Amino acid sequence: MDNSLPPADELVLVDRELARLDARRSQLLARRAWLLRVLYAPASSAPGPFPSAPGARPAASGPRPPVTDSTPRSAQNVLLTLGGTLLTIAAIAFTLVSWGSMGIGGRSVVLFVVTSAALAAPVALLRRSLVSTAESVAALGLVLMVLDAYALHRVALPETDGLGYTAVAAAVLAGAWTAYGSALSRLRIPLPVAVVAGQLPLPLGVLAAGGGPTAFAWAALGTAAADGAVILWARPAAVRITAAVGATALGGWALLTGGRLSLTSPWSGAPLLLAAAALTLYAARRLPTVAVAASVLAGLATVAAAGGLLRPAVPTDWTVPVYVLCGLALASVWRLSPTMAGDGAAEEAGRRLPAGVRLGLAGAGAGVVALGVVWALPPVAVGLLGPAARTTEVWSGEHAGRALTSYPGTAVLVLAVAAAVLAAVPRLWARCGALALVWALLTALPVSLGLPYAATLALQLLTTAAALACAVRPGPLTRGLRRPEPAEDPATPEPATTAPAASAAAGAPGTAGAPWGAWAPSRPRPQTPAEPGTVLGWIAYAGGLASALSAVALALDVREATFTALGALLVLLVGVAVLGAGARRVVAACAAVLTATGLVVAVAAAGGFEDHWTALALLLVPAATAAIGAKARPVALPVEIAGAVVALPAFALAASRPAFLALALALGGVIAAATAVRPERRRFASWTAAVLFLLAAWVRLAVWEVTTPEAYTLPVTVPALVVGFLRRRRDREASSWTAYGPGLAATLLPSLVAAWTDPEWPRPLALGVAALVVTLLGARFRLQALLVLGGSVLALDGLHELAPYVVQAVGALPRWLPPALAGLLLLAVGATYEQRLRDARRLRDRVARMR
């Protein structure tokens, strides 16, 4: 921003320009509303000229022409289409139904006259510029020619083979329609119909001659080649589109047939695939719009042909690697790019081969390699997830005595070749793929080679260590990597350098650019792409964690292996937590806490501890995390949260022995209280410690079979009242309900419930005395919570104690006396209603003024 003006002057200028913008916006909105009225107003109420637009021309006077439902041209086309359809139906009906009732002469005359008239009429119609009528009549003529061919076969050549006759007839009709359409170039129907007819002669001729699938595929490919020539050299768009559809269908059939033959009869399928690839590649060079898609098809056909020829010469396990190598050879075509070629010959070849063709061929080769990688993934899944699919108990030796399910060793070869190729490409996405493939290779290696248990576990731990090391120090992975340039925003203008220059560029006052005359906003900083080391580090980190989980699952088969794996992983994760940075450091610290938990459980299981002793041992983990959190500031909070989560299963394990549960809760309270010493944890940890201590006391009271509710509630009430008192001392404006309400309610309400069900007198008496003291304190210090709670409990407790005597006294009185006393009471209240109402209001106000 240009701060050449004082702030006050600049603010005035900004406000003035904003006002101008608002006025201009209002003017444009009014103009927009007038334009909408002009466009959508009915003909009888045409709006006048826009009043605020200078120089606006008056609207044309006079009534507007009525809006028709359809244009004459569209109505004419509908009528002609319907007429041509009806004539076609009539001709078909005549040929199929009425043909047999006429002699041979009559038939010939009728067909010749009608067909000739239908074909000759468009000539005269085109001279009169009746193009639509000519199209309809020409379509009828084309249909009649098909009917002529059908009638000729039925009458003159009934013994001729149907397929052969259809092929010859289609060829003749295609030639005739082509000549007819070329002569009458204004007609749009004959030439596309000729192309449709041209799809039939070769395939039907092959079938008529008794050719098999291979011959039919060659015929389809030849027809597709002819369609390609039509696409390249024909001008009408309808003809080219029709030929493209035919070429796609027949060429696709030829490719599918060639692919199937390459698996069963390679020497028959390879020439067909190579011929199809050559034709498709020629089309890709001549048609840049479909160069990529056509080149992909050509590349796939080439790989299928080459792989089909090489496949019989190698063992079965090497079938997929052969195709992968062919795909890699095809993908190397991209190296012919002029910017990547290393020598003159390659550079010259790169210039001759269009970029779209190179991209398509390289994409086809890469797709074949990707399919090979997918084929090699099952060993990776088994190596990663196989140890978790156990059917026996821990330390049973399920996997220790045998190797995992064996897969072809060539799967590892495919992964290795793909990883090596991607590692040689100086692009971030390629390096990411190479890193993932290397991890997959190491994971699949034990399964593919059938390694023993110890070697498998050692390789998984080494894979974990290597991946975590790459996650901490991803620098070597980025060597030779081309860093992408920051993305520039082309829509962002260059910032103005000085105020006068900005004013000159803004234009005259009152225009849209005027507000920027005094200052120019700073140009937004270009977006910086993600650091390669960060992306590669996260990929390595994810692979390391996955290998760690698999190693732990595999190590659970043997006791010694469990301790070895957990110990090694604990060291690795602690190292990442210490040397790493960012979120990876946090995740490693939390994973280290979980690993330490597993180690404690393993030690307890090896020592034969019972559940309640294991629970006490687990509390060592939150104690350790609390101690570490005081030192390791960057990861303190997540580590402490992970330790607190570990305490929950410890309490669950101790639940079978209530005495140990009370001890575990108390120890958890001690850990929380020690954490509360730190100022940043004081609020949450102090409340957690209080809750744990209280739960421990309640569990201990339950173990002692104490049923007195005050034994459970007073430990809550006393600390709560102390906390409330301290808060009131710091904040005199704090409400008594917030400070003392929870603590008093925690004891008074449960005790009131117990007093109402207690037949003895000591509890109601003690409760009444306590409620009286609370009420008096509330009245003395003007505390609303104490007065309301104490008074309510005192009244309910007194009512409970007096209720038997009241019932007894009411029962001894005459039946008429209670209604009479109630009536007198109502009369007295009614007589002094106003005074009682004022007293009630004064009492309400006094209570409301209390805190």
Side-chain angles (χ1 to χ4, degrees):
M1 182 182 296
D2 186 5
N3 296 322
S4 58
L5 294 178
D9 297 341
E10 187 176 356
L11 179 61
V12 172
L13 181 60
V14 169
D15 291 339
R16 184 185 305 146
E17 298 301 336
L18 287 175
R20 291 180 181 176
L21 285 177
D22 291 339
R24 179 60 177 167
R25 184 174 184 275
S26 301
Q27 182 183 5
L28 292 176
L29 287 175
R31 178 68 178 179
R32 180 179 181 274
W34 181 84
L35 291 174
L36 289 175
R37 289 197 301 271
V38 169
L39 290 175
Y40 300 109
S44 60
S45 59
F50 182 61
S52 61
R57 295 181 180 179
S61 61
R64 293 185 177 181
V67 180
T68 58
D69 294 334
S70 61
T71 62
R73 177 64 63 182
S74 62
Q76 178 189 17
N77 292 336
V78 171
L79 294 176
L80 291 175
T81 302
L82 290 176
T85 303
L86 292 176
L87 288 175
T88 303
I89 294 174
I92 295 174
F94 170 78
T95 304
L96 297 179
V97 178
S98 302
W99 181 259
S101 61
M102 300 179 64
I104 185 65
R107 301 171 191 175
S108 302
V109 171
V110 169
L111 282 176
F112 178 77
V113 171
V114 174
T115 304
S116 300
L119 294 177
V123 178
L125 293 173
L126 289 176
R127 291 176 180 175
R128 296 176 178 271
S129 299
L130 300 176
V131 180
S132 299
T133 306
E135 292 280 1
S136 300
V137 177
L140 176 61
L142 300 181
V143 174
L144 288 175
M145 292 182 71
V146 176
L147 296 177
D148 290 342
Y150 170 75
L152 180 63
H153 179 264
R154 289 292 303 272
V155 175
L157 303 170
E159 303 298 331
T160 306
D161 179 63
L163 287 177
Y165 179 81
T166 304
V168 174
V172 172
L173 290 176
W177 290 342
T178 301
Y180 185 73
S182 300
L184 302 178
S185 58
R186 298 178 64 184
L187 295 179
R188 294 173 295 179
I189 294 179
L191 290 179
V193 174
V195 173
V196 173
Q199 311 301 310
L200 302 178
L202 284 179
L204 293 182
V206 169
L207 293 179
T214 303
F216 183 83
W218 278 105
L221 184 60
T223 305
D227 290 333
V230 172
I231 295 173
L232 293 176
W233 290 301
R235 290 185 178 182
V239 175
R240 301 177 65 182
I241 293 174
T242 306
V245 173
T248 302
L250 295 176
W253 179 265
L255 286 174
L256 291 177
T257 304
R260 180 178 58 82
L261 291 175
S262 68
L263 301 178
T264 59
S265 180
W267 292 102
S268 297
L272 181 61
L273 289 173
L274 292 177
L279 292 175
T280 308
L281 194 61
Y282 179 78
R285 290 176 58 89
R286 294 294 303 272
L287 301 174
T289 55
V290 296
V292 176
S295 300
V296 169
L297 291 177
L300 293 177
T302 303
V303 171
L309 293 176
L310 297 176
R311 181 177 52 82
V314 298
T316 305
D317 293 345
W318 287 84
T319 299
V320 175
V322 164
Y323 282 99
V324 169
L325 292 177
C326 294
L328 288 176
L330 184 63
S332 63
V333 174
W334 183 252
R335 301 292 297 179
L336 297 178
S337 172
T339 59
M340 302 181 66
D343 55 3
E347 184 175 355
E348 182 64 24
R351 289 195 179 97
R352 292 179 180 178
L353 202 60
V357 175
R358 291 198 309 271
L359 180 60
L361 294 176
V368 173
V369 177
L371 290 177
V373 171
V374 172
W375 171 81
L377 288 182
V380 181
V382 173
L384 185 65
L385 304 177
R390 63 175 64 255
T391 58
T392 57
E393 296 181 354
V394 177
W395 296 346
S396 62
E398 177 185 2
H399 298 295
R402 60 181 176 85
L404 295 177
T405 304
S406 179
Y407 280 79
T410 53
V412 179
L413 177 62
V414 170
L415 295 175
V417 171
V421 171
L422 288 178
V425 179
R427 291 291 187 271
L428 178 59
W429 61 269
R431 292 290 174 85
C432 293
L435 184 59
L437 289 177
V438 170
W439 172 83
L441 166 65
L442 296 176
T443 304
L445 195 61
V447 179
S448 298
L449 301 183
L451 298 180
Y453 176 81
T456 301
L457 180 60
L459 184 59
Q460 285 189 346
L461 291 176
L462 290 176
T463 302
T464 303
L468 294 180
C470 292
V472 175
R473 293 289 184 268
L477 300 176
T478 62
R479 292 178 181 173
L481 190 63
R482 298 181 181 179
R483 295 179 178 268
E485 296 295 333
E488 296 287 346
D489 186 4
T492 306
E494 291 292 338
T497 55
T498 59
S503 301
T511 62
W516 312 110
W519 58 275
S522 60
R523 185 178 185 180
R525 298 182 59 184
Q527 297 179 354
T528 303
E531 288 294 331
T534 303
V535 179
L536 292 169
W538 272 112
I539 293 176
Y541 196 56
L545 293 180
S547 297
L549 292 175
S550 180
V552 171
L554 183 62
L556 292 178
D557 287 336
V558 180
R559 178 181 301 181
E560 294 78 7
T562 301
F563 287 103
T564 302
L566 289 176
L569 290 178
L570 182 60
V571 173
L572 291 174
L573 292 172
V574 170
V576 175
V578 173
L579 300 177
R584 293 195 289 270
R585 184 177 190 179
V586 174
V587 175
C590 296
V593 173
L594 298 179
T595 305
T597 303
L599 200 57
V600 171
V601 174
V603 171
F609 292 178
E610 297 183 9
D611 289 347
H612 53 277
W613 289 111
T614 303
L616 297 181
L618 280 177
L619 290 178
L620 295 174
V621 176
T625 56
I628 294 174
K631 303 294 184 181
R633 295 295 182 182
V635 295
L637 182 59
V639 165
E640 291 172 3
I641 292 176
V645 170
V646 172
L648 298 179
F651 298 151
L653 288 174
S656 59
R657 298 285 294 270
F660 278 88
L661 177 59
L663 178 59
L665 291 171
L667 292 176
V670 171
I671 296 172
T675 307
V677 175
R678 294 157 53 194
E680 68 275 9
R681 301 285 186 269
R682 184 165 300 162
R683 179 181 295 273
F684 180 78
S686 59
W687 283 102
T688 304
V691 170
L692 291 175
F693 282 134
L694 181 62
L695 292 176
W698 284 357
V699 173
R700 175 53 61 183
L701 291 173
V703 171
W704 288 340
E705 298 182 354
V706 175
T707 58
T708 304
E710 288 77 11
Y712 296 88
T713 58
L714 286 176
V716 179
T717 296
V718 174
L721 293 178
V722 172
V723 172
F725 176 75
L726 295 177
R727 180 176 180 181
R728 289 273 297 176
R729 288 188 60 182
R730 293 195 304 269
D731 184 11
R732 288 293 183 181
E733 298 298 326
S735 172
S736 61
W737 288 101
T738 304
Y740 303 118
L744 292 175
T747 294
L748 291 179
L749 298 182
S751 298
L752 179 62
V753 174
W756 273 67
T757 59
D758 191 354
E760 302 297 332
W761 60 270
R763 183 190 301 276
L765 178 60
L767 179 60
V769 172
L772 178 60
V773 172
V774 171
T775 304
L776 295 176
L777 290 175
R780 169 65 179 81
F781 295 102
R782 302 177 59 81
L783 299 175
Q784 188 181 104
L786 276 67
L787 182 61
V788 173
L789 285 175
S792 301
V793 172
L794 180 61
L796 293 175
D797 186 64
L799 178 62
H800 173 265
E801 294 302 312
L802 294 177
Y805 303 101
V806 172
V807 171
Q808 183 178 2
V810 171
L813 294 174
R815 296 295 182 92
W816 55 267
L817 187 56
L821 294 177
L824 291 175
L825 179 62
L826 292 176
L827 288 176
V829 173
T832 59
Y833 175 76
E834 295 295 337
Q835 181 62 34
R836 302 286 79 79
L837 186 60
R838 286 193 296 269
D839 294 340
R841 288 175 178 172
R842 282 197 296 269
L843 177 61
R844 182 196 62 185
D845 294 339
R846 289 177 182 177
V847 173
R849 285 194 294 270
M850 294 182 179
R851 297 298 300 174

